[in-house]
Amino acid sequence: MANPVVAIVGRPNVGKSTLFNRIAGERISIVEDTPGVTRDRIYAHAEWLGKNFNLIDTGGIEISDQPLLTQIRQQAEVAIDEADVIVLVVDIQNGVTDADEQVAKILYRSDKPVVLAVNKVDNPERRSDIYDFYSLGLGEPYPVSGVHGVGVGDLLDAVINHFPETADNEDDGTIHFSLIGRPNVGKSSLVNAILGENRVIVSNVAGTTRDAINTRFTAKDGREFTMIDTAGIRKKGKIYENTERYSLMRSMRAIDDSDVVLVVLNAEEGIRELDKHIAGYAHEAGCGVIIVVNKWDTIKNKDHRTMTDFTTLIRNEFQYLSYAPIIFVSAKTKQRLNQLPTMIEEVYDHSRRRIQSAVLNDVLMDALAANPTPTQNGRRLRVYYGTQVAIQPPTFVIFVNDPDLMHFSYQRYLENQIRRAFDFTGTPIRIIKRKRQ
């Protein structure tokens, strides 16, 4: 089940980004010490009272050459399209403005629940001023201070009350995978080629995201797959065609529904910055990842080093995806596409692999013997034991005397030793440091 989406909207200078950072910065799950991951603050994973959700800062959507009110209206339309719950941010210092009223009317006509946040209530004496905002017709206004965090908890309580009820989804036995990437990398062509290559039985499956197309098919070996296709999904209007960040939001919804993500690159155009944005989100979400280099047929004068050189370039640009396998394909000629289902299945199985604690600790002890733990300020890190606590991605808790003594480089060393002992190709693994009681 995809996480609910909460969008923050409002006119400029009301503190949307400050509130976004307050909610996301304290509760966002970020993989630290991971070089090369480029994060775009328009989109974040967040959590409140055990409820996970995705947060959109529409203030990060840049719409140039448009009148101010038109920009605000377009951002509100993006929120209506994407969000399950909308937070309208207003500013107590300026009171109710024409722009506030215009956005409120748009949101009021939508079928989405709206929570009204009155920002910059830094002084308790100003709380009585919030009642003017009842005139917007959006219900109770919640006084908050994005800078100091005052009232944010009450605001989030109201937000999560609007989340749809989530029933426990039974595992239907299919592997869910998505194709993500910037526009024009050939995702649509790959989708059609994958379906045609396998001579599959195709049926429509109701998608958990509103706009992605979920297609179930059966591979030659009988394994069931559900392909989540975000390719070619466009909305009418110039904003949707020209805003790359909007396509990123759609990719994020597909990632949430996926067991394995195919990060599609365009061999003809090479690696772009947006490629790293999107791939970084797949890594942080903990999905299995396969890097698919499409349009390989367009590369002329290939020799025995062409593929090796491109692989080296990918490894340099996507250092955080060193575990991800790379495959060079062509949707046009269907080169190597028959290998994709098997590769997806293998990555899926690796992401669900469980390691017995006794076997894991044998590997850890061998790693400690080969490379003893470092000392810091006269204190030596002591590693007592480890255990696996989760799958998708495989997550290990390592109990130590003091988590602060484990430098990220030594943690990376332990991760590499675990990967060397067990095949986790295609899946990230998480290591959690915990002090032994």
Side-chain angles (χ1 to χ4, degrees):
M1 176 69 70
N3 291 331
V5 173
V6 178
I8 299 177
V9 302
R11 57 184 173 82
N13 301 320
V14 293
K16 296 188 299 297
S17 295
T18 302
L19 185 60
F20 175 90
N21 291 334
R22 169 64 61 176
I23 297 173
E26 292 184 351
R27 301 172 181 87
I28 184 172
S29 176
I30 290 179
V31 182
E32 297 181 354
D33 301 320
T34 307
V37 177
T38 305
R39 298 185 179 90
D40 191 334
R41 298 299 295 169
I42 191 175
Y43 201 109
H45 292 289
E47 177 268 334
W48 181 251
L49 298 181
K51 301 283 189 179
N52 293 302
F53 59 95
N54 295 327
L55 194 65
I56 298 174
D57 178 13
T58 60
I61 300 175
E62 298 170 357
I63 311 167
S64 59
D65 302 325
Q66 296 284 345
L68 180 60
L69 292 181
T70 302
Q71 294 185 40
I72 298 171
R73 186 187 311 112
Q74 289 175 331
Q75 291 177 5
E77 290 169 354
V78 171
I80 291 171
D81 283 341
E82 284 296 304
D84 298 296
V85 182
I86 300 170
V87 176
L88 173 60
V89 184
V90 293
D91 179 356
I92 199 167
Q93 295 177 358
N94 293 319
V96 181
T97 67
D98 292 340
D100 294 331
E101 292 178 346
Q102 184 171 3
V103 177
K105 289 178 182 178
I106 297 172
L107 299 180
Y108 187 79
R109 288 193 296 266
S110 74
D111 293 328
K112 302 294 178 68
V114 180
V115 179
L116 180 60
V118 183
N119 197 20
K120 303 182 183 180
V121 187
D122 303 316
N123 188 339
E125 297 177 357
R126 303 213 61 178
R127 293 176 66 92
S128 59
D129 297 336
I130 69 171
Y131 298 107
D132 294 340
F133 293 92
Y134 273 104
S135 64
L136 294 176
L138 297 175
E140 180 180 357
Y142 289 86
V144 299
S145 171
V147 173
H148 299 104
V150 177
V152 175
D154 293 336
L155 175 70
L156 291 176
D157 287 343
V159 168
I160 65 175
N161 283 337
H162 291 292
F163 285 175
E165 294 294 329
T166 55
D168 293 333
N169 290 343
E170 296 183 2
D171 187 356
D172 58 4
T174 67
I175 301 174
H176 294 72
F177 73 95
S178 58
L179 295 90
I180 66 172
R182 56 186 173 83
N184 302 320
V185 294
K187 297 187 297 294
S188 295
S189 299
L190 277 175
V191 168
N192 293 331
I194 290 171
L195 295 176
E197 175 67 18
N198 292 294
R199 295 181 176 85
V200 296
I201 303 169
V202 179
S203 63
N204 289 330
V205 178
T208 52
T209 53
R210 287 181 296 277
D211 297 298
I213 302 170
N214 290 15
T215 305
R216 178 174 293 178
F217 68 92
T218 304
K220 289 182 178 179
D221 63 357
R223 190 67 185 258
E224 295 278 339
F225 293 88
T226 296
M227 179 164 50
I228 306 167
D229 170 26
T230 61
I233 297 177
R234 296 285 192 180
K235 288 287 186 178
K236 294 180 180 179
K238 187 174 181 180
I239 174 178
Y240 301 108
E241 296 173 359
N242 294 340
T243 305
E244 288 183 331
R245 291 177 174 183
Y246 185 80
S247 65
L248 175 62
M249 289 189 286
R250 297 221 176 261
S251 297
M252 287 298 300
R253 295 301 296 265
I255 290 171
D256 284 338
D257 283 342
S258 301
D259 300 309
V260 179
V261 173
L262 309 187
V263 178
V264 184
L265 307 179
N266 187 334
E268 194 173 20
E269 297 179 354
I271 299 171
R272 301 291 176 83
E273 195 65 28
L274 187 59
D275 294 324
K276 292 186 280 188
H277 276 282
I278 296 174
Y281 280 113
H283 169 78
E284 290 184 358
C287 299
V289 177
I290 299 172
I291 299 175
V292 179
V293 183
N294 191 26
K295 303 186 181 182
W296 193 239
D297 60 294
T298 63
I299 303 300
K300 305 301 182 182
N301 302 318
K302 292 192 289 285
D303 57 27
H304 66 285
R305 291 198 53 83
T306 306
M307 188 177 295
T308 301
D309 292 342
F310 207 105
T311 299
T312 301
L313 176 63
I314 291 173
R315 293 306 184 198
N316 289 336
E317 294 292 333
F318 298 89
Q319 295 182 26
Y320 55 94
L321 292 180
S322 59
Y323 56 84
I326 302 171
I327 183 171
F328 295 82
V329 303
S330 168
K332 183 177 180 180
T333 66
K334 299 185 179 180
Q335 182 182 19
R336 300 188 187 90
L337 284 185
N338 61 335
Q339 301 176 22
L340 265 180
T342 300
M343 185 177 290
I344 294 170
E345 187 172 351
E346 289 176 350
V347 169
Y348 173 77
D349 291 339
H350 294 164
S351 71
R352 297 176 59 85
R353 172 162 289 164
R354 291 188 180 273
I355 307 300
Q356 293 182 351
S357 295
V359 179
L360 173 65
N361 283 284
D362 286 342
V363 172
L364 291 178
M365 293 306 105
D366 290 343
L368 295 174
N371 184 9
T373 57
T375 59
Q376 182 176 330
N377 297 327
R379 299 184 61 203
R380 178 174 291 277
L381 170 69
R382 296 187 180 278
V383 177
Y384 297 114
Y385 60 96
T387 185
Q388 185 174 356
V389 296
I391 58 174
Q392 290 187 296
T395 303
F396 303 91
V397 172
I398 296 180
F399 292 89
V400 298
N401 59 333
D402 185 351
D404 293 335
L405 295 177
M406 183 180 287
H407 192 265
F408 78 89
S409 60
Y410 198 79
Q411 179 174 323
R412 185 70 52 81
Y413 164 72
L414 293 180
E415 176 184 334
N416 291 337
Q417 296 305 304
I418 292 173
R419 287 190 179 277
R420 184 173 299 176
F422 313 105
D423 191 354
F424 284 115
T425 301
T427 179
I429 65 175
R430 305 281 190 255
I431 293 180
I432 301 172
K433 303 168 290 186
R434 187 168 296 172
K435 184 176 182 179
R436 188 180 70 170
Q437 299 298 324

